[in-house]
Amino acid sequence: MSRIRQSIGLMAMALTVFSASCSTGKVMVMHQDVARQMETEGNYLAAAESWNAYFDEQTAKGNEVAAENYAQAANVALEADRKDLAESWIGLAAAGGYSAPELQLELAKIYRGQNEIPNELTALETFKEKYAAAPEISQVNGRLFELYAMMKNDEQAKAIWPDLSDEQRHEKEYLVEYFKMVSKGDDAALTEAIAQDLVKADPENVKALEWLGETLYRRAEDSYQAEMKAYQKKHTHLQYLHLTQELKVINGNFQKSLDCFTKLWEMEQKASYATYLTNIYTRFDNKEKANYYRQFIP
């Protein structure tokens, strides 16, 4: 019934405007007037249909349409959930020189609400391309990163990472996804930095703790083996001083690794964690602790 009443109202309005237009000779503005009246009454679907008729009419006559009209019509189409019309009119408004970042965002929000991921992505990419200096660019970049990560498009996600705000690049939700990406690559320094940031944001993140624990352990153990081998070949006072200095760094990395595996052990008593803990305490010459964790190794 409401749709019938809307149609009757639209027809009545059209007839009224048409009659008035005939007396003034301004027939071509009829659909535009109806559209605005329907918008005033909250009948957005009818308003969108009238705007569409108006644009078709103007195109047929070869008349130029003001960009502001496309923008107004796009707002109406968004209210009417006519995304197809809204997207087209937003583009035409922008092509006519009308800056419509808020309309582009609204369109993206509608697509997101209806889980139309490809369309939301296109809307946001268009926003980033056209309105890179807009205040909302930070939230747009953040959402684009989320979408790229969701779609397993690591290269685009990594490319947009520097565009995220400093605050976003230290938030757990973004760091979790970025860590997954960089940990697949060969940039150990970058991965370590991101893993450390992730542990700060999420102290119980198992993947980051494991990566840090294993990496720091290997670094310490490899350096320990190399330095001890060098000292065994050359028992000089100078070589001993060098070994003493290097052991400070080595023990520092062992301690950082120990912190990671201790935290992991508190969450789950896995044999692999026990192995690292046993080896580290052995290097620290703590036989009691080493023997304690050794009993958990199969």
Side-chain angles (χ1 to χ4, degrees):
M1 289 297 292
S2 60
R3 178 60 66 85
I4 294 173
R5 284 196 296 270
Q6 289 175 358
S7 298
I8 292 173
L10 179 58
M11 291 171 63
M13 179 62 190
L15 289 171
T16 301
V17 175
F18 179 77
S19 298
S21 298
C22 286
S23 63
T24 59
K26 297 181 180 179
V27 177
M28 73 175 186
V29 300
M30 180 181 67
H31 293 301
Q32 187 179 33
D33 288 345
V34 172
R36 288 171 174 164
Q37 181 62 34
M38 290 297 100
E39 180 182 357
T40 300
E41 295 178 4
N43 190 344
Y44 297 109
L45 184 58
E49 292 171 352
S50 291
W51 274 118
N52 199 31
Y54 170 72
F55 295 143
D56 286 346
E57 181 183 65
Q58 298 308 300
T59 300
K61 292 181 178 181
N63 295 332
E64 184 176 348
V65 175
E68 290 79 4
N69 287 339
Y70 283 124
Q72 183 179 357
N75 265 317
V76 169
L78 288 170
E79 292 287 350
D81 198 25
R82 285 295 307 272
K83 300 184 296 296
D84 54 334
L85 295 178
E87 188 168 20
S88 173
W89 293 341
I90 288 170
L92 290 168
Y98 187 92
S99 180
E102 68 287 348
L103 294 179
Q104 195 70 33
L105 273 185
E106 286 300 318
L107 185 63
K109 288 178 183 177
I110 289 177
Y111 285 134
R112 181 175 183 177
Q114 298 186 353
N115 201 33
E116 297 181 31
I117 301 303
N119 288 331
E120 181 193 358
L121 181 63
T122 298
L124 292 174
E125 287 178 332
T126 299
F127 184 98
K128 183 173 176 61
E129 179 184 350
K130 293 183 176 180
Y131 310 113
E136 301 88 353
I137 192 62
S138 180
Q139 71 181 76
V140 169
N141 287 334
R143 180 57 180 165
L144 280 171
F145 177 83
E146 291 175 0
L147 292 174
Y148 291 141
M150 185 188 308
M151 299 169 74
K152 308 298 182 185
N153 194 332
D154 289 1
E155 292 308 311
Q156 282 189 279
K158 287 191 286 188
I160 204 173
W161 178 260
D163 294 341
L164 269 60
S165 68
D166 184 67
E167 181 179 356
Q168 287 172 321
R169 284 185 277 111
H170 287 85
E171 290 180 12
K172 173 184 172 181
E173 60 180 306
Y174 297 111
L175 283 167
V176 166
E177 296 300 329
Y178 194 52
F179 175 72
K180 290 178 185 177
M181 299 171 198
V182 298
S183 62
K184 299 175 187 176
D186 300 323
D187 194 335
L190 174 60
T191 306
E192 184 172 345
I194 298 303
Q196 290 174 343
D197 285 343
L198 178 51
V199 169
K200 290 178 183 176
D202 180 15
E204 295 187 350
N205 188 282
V206 173
K207 294 297 183 182
L209 286 169
E210 286 181 340
W211 192 94
L212 283 171
E214 293 169 5
T215 299
L216 292 166
Y217 175 83
R218 287 197 303 270
R219 184 181 301 163
E221 182 64 20
D222 290 348
S223 295
Y224 177 84
Q225 295 292 343
E227 293 301 329
M228 293 304 296
K229 185 176 182 180
Y231 180 67
Q232 288 171 2
K233 286 184 177 180
K234 197 173 183 181
H235 278 64
T236 64
H237 179 67
L238 185 62
Q239 190 66 36
Y240 176 77
L241 290 176
H242 174 76
L243 174 63
T244 302
Q245 292 300 315
E246 288 301 311
L247 283 175
K248 292 179 181 179
V249 177
I250 291 169
N251 287 338
N253 285 325
F254 272 133
Q255 182 61 55
K256 292 175 185 176
S257 178
L258 178 64
D259 293 341
C260 292
F261 284 113
T262 299
K263 183 66 177 179
L264 288 164
W265 181 260
E266 291 172 354
M267 291 187 284
E268 183 179 1
Q269 296 185 355
K270 292 175 65 173
S272 57
Y273 301 158
T275 299
Y276 281 108
L277 290 165
T278 299
N279 292 341
I280 294 171
Y281 277 118
T282 298
R283 287 287 175 246
F284 285 162
D285 200 25
N286 189 328
K287 294 181 180 180
E288 181 180 355
K289 286 290 185 67
N291 289 334
Y292 171 77
Y293 288 107
R294 187 173 286 112
Q295 66 182 315
F296 296 100
I297 304 173

